């Protein structure tokens, strides 16, 4: 990321990977756990709320998360991002102009 934009990386995000863990019964299960923590800029893109049948609410909140290329080059779509109690599912990862300076990660918030 150019030096004049690196000051926008003010949010500390956690990258979660799907790892195998052994439970108390000795069985192996998959669970999202923190792999690393990096600096990022989080930009809200769009948001919508839709009321469904049986008073359930479906949300679609998407954000763009910008990180330095060197910090995020190992991030994949199978991972998740966590920030301030919010969990985001990765939809798309973009390397603008293939310059290897920063990554734009397009995500959707997961409601738990």
């Amino acid at each position: 990321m150019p030096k004049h934009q690196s000051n926008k990386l003010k949010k500390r995000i956690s990258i979660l990977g799907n790892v195998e863990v052994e439970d108390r019964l000795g069985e192996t299960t998959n669970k999202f756990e923190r792999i690393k923590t990096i600096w990022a800029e989080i930009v809200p893109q769009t948001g919508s709320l839709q009321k469904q049948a049986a008073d359930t609410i479906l949300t679609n909140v998407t954000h763009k998360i910008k990180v330095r290329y060197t910090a995020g080059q190992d991030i994949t779509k199978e991972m998740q991002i966590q920030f301030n109690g919010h969990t985001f599912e990765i939809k798309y990862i973009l390397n603008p102009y293939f310059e290897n300076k920063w990554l734009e990660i397009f995500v959707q918030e997961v409601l738990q």
Side-chain angles (χ1 to χ4, degrees):
M1 182 172 284
K3 287 182 182 178
H4 68 277
Q5 290 185 3
S6 63
N7 63 345
K8 293 183 177 182
L9 303 178
K10 296 179 180 179
K11 310 291 186 204
R12 201 82 165 129
I13 63 170
S14 296
I15 307 301
L16 308 177
N18 198 1
V19 297
E20 288 186 356
V21 294
E22 191 171 305
D23 63 14
R24 290 183 280 187
L25 301 174
E27 297 175 346
T28 303
T29 60
N30 288 339
K31 180 181 177 185
F32 281 100
E33 290 193 353
R34 182 173 58 188
I35 296 174
K36 65 180 179 177
T37 304
I38 59 177
W39 291 101
E41 174 188 9
I42 302 176
V43 182
Q45 296 294 301
T46 61
S48 65
L49 290 173
Q50 300 172 355
K51 190 157 181 148
Q52 300 290 317
D55 289 329
T56 59
I57 298 176
L58 174 67
T59 63
N60 180 15
V61 179
T62 57
H63 296 75
K64 177 171 64 174
I65 299 176
K66 294 177 84 171
V67 299
R68 286 185 180 89
Y69 180 83
T70 53
Q73 64 187 3
D74 56 346
I75 297 173
T76 65
K77 280 183 57 176
E78 290 75 29
M79 297 178 176
Q80 290 184 345
I81 295 174
Q82 203 170 48
F83 172 72
N84 204 18
H86 299 270
T87 302
F88 299 94
E89 182 180 282
I90 298 174
K91 296 295 186 182
Y92 186 74
I93 302 171
L94 179 67
N95 179 1
Y97 306 108
F98 301 101
E99 292 179 338
N100 298 344
K101 292 181 180 178
W102 69 87
L103 292 174
E104 294 181 349
I105 305 169
F106 294 88
V107 297
Q108 179 175 354
E109 187 171 359
V110 177
L111 296 180
Q112 300 180 16

